[in-house]
Amino acid sequence: MHIHAYEKLWLALSIVLILALIGTVTYGAVGPGVAMVADSQSTIDPAALDEDERFSEPRVEQVGENEYEAYVVARQFGFQPDPIVVPANSTVTFYVTSADVIHGFEVVGTSANTMVVPGEVSEITVETDEPTEYGIVCNEYCGAGHHVMQGKLHVVSQSQFENRGGDSA
Amino acid sequence: MARSETARADTDDVGGDGEEFDPIGTLTLIGIYFVILVLAWVYIYFVEFLGRDLVVVG
Ligand SMILES: [Cu+2]
Protein backbone atom coordinates (compact mmCIF):
# COMPACT_ATOMS: atom_id res chain seq x y z
CA MET A 1 0.00 0.00 0.00
CA HIS A 2 1.30 3.41 -0.90
CA ILE A 3 1.17 5.99 1.90
CA HIS A 4 2.19 9.54 1.09
CA ALA A 5 5.27 10.76 2.97
CA TYR A 6 3.31 13.66 4.48
CA GLU A 7 0.66 11.29 5.71
CA LYS A 8 3.31 9.15 7.40
CA LEU A 9 4.57 12.30 9.09
CA TRP A 10 1.02 13.17 10.12
CA LEU A 11 0.47 9.72 11.63
CA ALA A 12 3.79 9.83 13.47
CA LEU A 13 3.12 13.30 14.93
CA SER A 14 -0.38 12.22 16.03
CA ILE A 15 1.12 9.32 17.94
CA VAL A 16 3.80 11.60 19.42
CA LEU A 17 1.07 14.00 20.54
CA ILE A 18 -0.96 11.25 22.21
CA LEU A 19 2.12 9.90 23.99
CA ALA A 20 3.10 13.42 25.07
CA LEU A 21 -0.35 14.09 26.55
CA ILE A 22 -0.34 10.79 28.43
CA GLY A 23 3.28 11.41 29.43
CA THR A 24 2.68 14.83 30.94
CA VAL A 25 -0.32 13.67 32.93
CA THR A 26 1.69 10.68 34.15
CA TYR A 27 4.51 13.04 35.10
CA GLY A 28 2.00 15.18 37.03
CA ALA A 29 0.83 12.16 39.01
CA VAL A 30 4.30 10.76 39.70
CA GLY A 31 6.32 13.98 40.08
CA PRO A 32 4.28 16.69 41.82
CA GLY A 33 1.83 14.00 43.00
CA VAL A 34 -1.34 15.46 41.51
CA ALA A 35 -4.36 13.43 42.65
CA MET A 36 -8.07 13.35 41.96
CA VAL A 37 -10.77 13.81 44.57
CA ALA A 38 -11.58 10.21 45.39
CA ASP A 39 -14.73 8.59 46.71
CA SER A 40 -12.82 7.43 49.77
CA GLN A 41 -14.96 8.72 52.62
CA SER A 42 -17.98 6.91 53.99
CA THR A 43 -21.37 8.58 53.88
CA ILE A 44 -22.79 10.75 56.62
CA ASP A 45 -26.24 11.93 57.72
CA PRO A 46 -26.45 15.58 56.65
CA ALA A 47 -29.30 16.19 59.11
CA ALA A 48 -27.19 15.04 62.06
CA LEU A 49 -23.95 16.95 61.53
CA ASP A 50 -24.31 18.41 65.02
CA GLU A 51 -23.79 14.90 66.39
CA ASP A 52 -20.82 14.15 64.18
CA GLU A 53 -17.42 14.02 65.77
CA ARG A 54 -15.77 15.96 62.97
CA PHE A 55 -18.47 18.33 61.82
CA SER A 56 -20.37 19.26 64.99
CA GLU A 57 -17.54 21.66 65.60
CA PRO A 58 -15.98 22.73 62.27
CA ARG A 59 -12.30 23.37 62.96
CA VAL A 60 -8.68 22.86 62.02
CA GLU A 61 -6.81 20.21 63.96
CA GLN A 62 -3.20 19.10 64.06
CA VAL A 63 -2.94 15.37 63.36
CA GLY A 64 0.79 14.91 62.92
CA GLU A 65 4.02 16.73 62.55
CA ASN A 66 3.20 19.48 60.07
CA GLU A 67 -0.04 17.70 59.17
CA TYR A 68 -3.42 19.25 59.73
CA GLU A 69 -7.03 18.41 59.07
CA ALA A 70 -9.72 20.97 58.41
CA TYR A 71 -13.33 19.94 59.00
CA VAL A 72 -15.49 22.28 56.98
CA VAL A 73 -19.28 22.53 56.75
CA ALA A 74 -20.89 24.25 53.79
CA ARG A 75 -24.48 25.37 54.23
CA GLN A 76 -26.82 27.98 52.76
CA PHE A 77 -25.05 30.41 52.51
CA GLY A 78 -21.56 30.19 53.96
CA PHE A 79 -18.68 28.03 55.13
CA GLN A 80 -17.69 27.10 58.66
CA PRO A 81 -15.20 27.82 60.12
CA ASP A 82 -14.90 31.32 58.72
CA PRO A 83 -12.09 32.06 58.21
CA ILE A 84 -10.40 28.69 57.92
CA VAL A 85 -6.95 29.26 59.44
CA VAL A 86 -4.15 26.87 58.48
CA PRO A 87 -0.39 27.06 59.00
CA ALA A 88 2.09 27.82 56.22
CA ASN A 89 4.40 25.16 54.78
CA SER A 90 2.27 22.28 55.97
CA THR A 91 0.08 19.51 54.62
CA VAL A 92 -3.60 20.23 55.08
CA THR A 93 -6.44 17.81 54.36
CA PHE A 94 -9.86 19.37 53.96
CA TYR A 95 -12.92 17.32 54.82
CA VAL A 96 -15.87 19.20 53.46
CA THR A 97 -19.52 18.25 53.77
CA SER A 98 -22.86 19.96 53.28
CA ALA A 99 -25.64 20.44 55.80
CA ASP A 100 -28.32 21.02 53.16
CA VAL A 101 -27.90 21.09 49.36
CA ILE A 102 -25.05 20.65 46.88
CA HIS A 103 -22.42 23.34 47.20
CA GLY A 104 -18.97 23.93 45.78
CA PHE A 105 -15.74 24.54 47.65
CA GLU A 106 -13.25 26.45 45.53
CA VAL A 107 -10.22 28.19 46.96
CA VAL A 108 -10.03 30.98 44.41
CA GLY A 109 -7.05 30.97 42.08
CA THR A 110 -5.80 27.57 43.26
CA SER A 111 -6.33 23.94 42.35
CA ALA A 112 -8.22 23.24 45.60
CA ASN A 113 -11.71 22.79 44.22
CA THR A 114 -14.37 20.17 44.87
CA MET A 115 -18.10 19.60 44.91
CA VAL A 116 -19.71 19.42 48.32
CA VAL A 117 -22.55 16.92 48.37
CA PRO A 118 -24.92 16.40 51.32
CA GLY A 119 -24.32 12.93 52.73
CA GLU A 120 -20.81 12.76 51.30
CA VAL A 121 -17.48 13.99 52.63
CA SER A 122 -15.14 15.50 50.05
CA GLU A 123 -11.51 14.97 50.95
CA ILE A 124 -8.70 16.99 49.38
CA THR A 125 -5.12 17.24 50.57
CA VAL A 126 -2.96 20.24 49.67
CA GLU A 127 0.40 21.64 50.62
CA THR A 128 0.49 25.25 51.76
CA ASP A 129 3.37 27.59 51.02
CA GLU A 130 3.90 31.09 52.38
CA PRO A 131 1.39 32.94 54.57
CA THR A 132 -1.35 34.47 52.43
CA GLU A 133 -5.11 34.88 52.25
CA TYR A 134 -7.43 33.20 49.78
CA GLY A 135 -11.09 33.63 49.12
CA ILE A 136 -13.39 30.60 49.01
CA VAL A 137 -16.44 30.54 46.76
CA CYS A 138 -19.34 28.17 46.27
CA ASN A 139 -19.35 27.26 42.59
CA GLU A 140 -22.54 25.16 42.48
CA TYR A 141 -25.83 27.02 42.36
CA CYS A 142 -27.34 26.39 45.80
CA GLY A 143 -30.22 28.80 46.22
CA ALA A 144 -31.20 32.45 46.45
CA GLY A 145 -28.05 33.45 48.34
CA HIS A 146 -25.61 31.50 46.19
CA HIS A 147 -23.92 34.62 44.86
CA VAL A 148 -23.01 35.81 48.35
CA MET A 149 -21.79 32.41 49.57
CA GLN A 150 -18.12 32.86 50.30
CA GLY A 151 -15.48 32.10 52.87
CA LYS A 152 -11.87 32.81 53.65
CA LEU A 153 -8.77 30.65 53.89
CA HIS A 154 -5.98 32.24 55.87
CA VAL A 155 -2.55 30.66 55.60
CA VAL A 156 -0.61 32.02 58.59
CA SER A 157 2.87 31.44 59.97
CA GLN A 158 3.37 28.49 62.34
CA SER A 159 3.79 30.79 65.36
CA GLN A 160 0.68 32.78 64.46
CA PHE A 161 -1.22 29.54 64.07
CA GLU A 162 -0.23 28.35 67.54
CA ASN A 163 -1.16 31.71 69.05
CA ARG A 164 -4.53 31.98 67.33
CA GLY A 165 -6.24 31.73 70.70
CA GLY A 166 -8.50 28.74 70.94
CA ASP A 167 -10.81 28.05 68.04
CA SER A 168 -11.27 30.14 64.96
CA ALA A 169 -14.76 28.73 64.45
CA MET B 1 -11.42 11.27 -9.97
CA ALA B 2 -10.60 7.73 -9.03
CA ARG B 3 -9.90 6.84 -12.62
CA SER B 4 -7.50 9.75 -13.17
CA GLU B 5 -5.60 9.01 -9.95
CA THR B 6 -5.20 5.42 -10.93
CA ALA B 7 -4.03 6.47 -14.31
CA ARG B 8 -1.49 8.88 -12.90
CA ALA B 9 -0.25 6.41 -10.34
CA ASP B 10 0.31 3.94 -13.12
CA THR B 11 2.38 6.31 -15.14
CA ASP B 12 4.06 8.64 -12.64
CA ASP B 13 4.67 6.49 -9.62
CA VAL B 14 6.75 3.90 -11.37
CA GLY B 15 9.93 5.79 -10.76
CA GLY B 16 9.85 5.18 -6.97
CA ASP B 17 9.73 7.80 -4.19
CA GLY B 18 8.86 10.83 -6.27
CA GLU B 19 5.40 12.08 -5.12
CA GLU B 20 3.19 13.61 -7.72
CA PHE B 21 1.20 15.59 -5.14
CA ASP B 22 3.07 17.60 -2.51
CA PRO B 23 0.78 20.01 -0.61
CA ILE B 24 3.66 21.82 1.05
CA GLY B 25 1.43 24.74 2.03
CA THR B 26 -0.97 22.45 3.90
CA LEU B 27 1.96 20.69 5.52
CA THR B 28 3.38 24.01 6.71
CA LEU B 29 0.02 25.16 8.03
CA ILE B 30 -0.51 21.89 9.93
CA GLY B 31 3.04 22.18 11.24
CA ILE B 32 2.27 25.64 12.62
CA TYR B 33 -0.95 24.36 14.20
CA PHE B 34 1.03 21.51 15.74
CA VAL B 35 3.56 23.86 17.28
CA ILE B 36 0.78 26.10 18.67
CA LEU B 37 -0.95 23.04 20.12
CA VAL B 38 2.21 21.77 21.83
CA LEU B 39 3.11 25.20 23.24
CA ALA B 40 -0.47 25.72 24.46
CA TRP B 41 -0.46 22.34 26.17
CA VAL B 42 2.88 23.02 27.88
CA TYR B 43 1.59 26.40 29.05
CA ILE B 44 -1.79 25.10 30.25
CA TYR B 45 -0.40 22.06 32.06
CA PHE B 46 2.98 23.13 33.44
CA VAL B 47 2.50 26.85 33.95
CA GLU B 48 -1.20 27.36 34.62
CA PHE B 49 -2.12 24.04 36.25
CA LEU B 50 1.02 22.86 38.08
CA GLY B 51 2.09 26.45 38.80
CA ARG B 52 -1.02 27.21 40.85
CA ASP B 53 -1.05 27.25 44.62
CA LEU B 54 -2.56 24.37 46.61
CA VAL B 55 -2.01 21.55 44.14
CA VAL B 56 -4.25 18.68 45.20
CA VAL B 57 -2.02 15.76 46.21
CA GLY B 58 -4.52 13.45 47.86
CU1 LIG C 1 -23.51 27.14 48.10
Side-chain angles (χ1 to χ4, degrees):
Chain A
M1 186 177 66
H2 177 71
I3 301 175
H4 194 288
Y6 290 180
E7 195 155 11
K8 283 181 190 157
L9 185 64
W10 164 262
L11 289 169
L13 287 180
S14 304
I15 292 166
V16 166
L17 202 58
I18 292 168
L19 293 178
L21 293 176
I22 295 172
T24 47
V25 172
T26 307
Y27 162 77
V30 174
V34 174
M36 300 294 113
V37 180
D39 181 26
S40 55
Q41 296 283 306
S42 53
T43 55
I44 187 172
D45 180 1
L49 291 186
D50 51 346
E51 290 153 33
D52 187 88
E53 190 212 328
R54 294 181 293 180
F55 298 106
S56 58
E57 204 187 304
R59 66 196 180 275
V60 176
E61 226 172 52
Q62 181 160 15
V63 293
E65 197 194 335
N66 230 12
E67 279 179 39
Y68 299 82
E69 291 186 345
Y71 308 118
V72 180
V73 175
R75 64 175 78 237
Q76 291 167 320
F77 296 98
F79 299 95
Q80 298 168 286
D82 188 24
I84 303 169
V85 181
V86 298
N89 303 306
S90 63
T91 303
V92 180
T93 302
F94 292 93
Y95 296 89
V96 194
T97 194
S98 169
D100 36 50
V101 299
I102 291 177
H103 295 283
F105 178 85
E106 177 180 352
V107 183
V108 178
T110 76
S111 295
N113 181 1
T114 179
M115 275 179 91
V116 184
V117 181
E120 305 275 345
V121 178
S122 303
E123 177 192 358
I124 46 174
T125 300
V126 302
E127 264 143 29
T128 62
D129 300 318
E130 297 304 302
T132 183
E133 289 186 11
Y134 299 103
I136 300 171
V137 294
C138 171
N139 56 17
E140 297 278 344
Y141 182 74
C142 59
H146 168 66
H147 60 292
V148 296
M149 181 162 172
Q150 57 173 312
K152 284 262 183 307
L153 175 66
H154 290 181
V155 180
V156 301
S157 67
Q158 294 276 354
S159 58
Q160 238 180 313
F161 181 79
E162 277 147 30
N163 298 329
R164 78 204 137 123
D167 212 306
S168 55
Chain B
M1 185 82 177
R3 203 195 312 147
S4 67
E5 275 183 8
T6 312
R8 267 195 280 146
D10 283 347
T11 52
D12 298 348
D13 231 21
V14 179
D17 272 6
E19 303 283 0
E20 81 280 11
F21 178 59
D22 289 319
I24 190 73
T26 307
L27 180 72
T28 309
L29 196 58
I30 289 174
I32 294 168
Y33 288 162
F34 188 87
V35 170
I36 292 172
L37 190 65
V38 169
L39 291 179
W41 173 253
V42 168
Y43 180 72
I44 289 166
Y45 194 81
F46 290 95
V47 179
E48 286 199 310
F49 178 60
L50 291 183
R52 287 181 130 189
D53 288 355
L54 305 184
V55 170
V56 174
V57 294

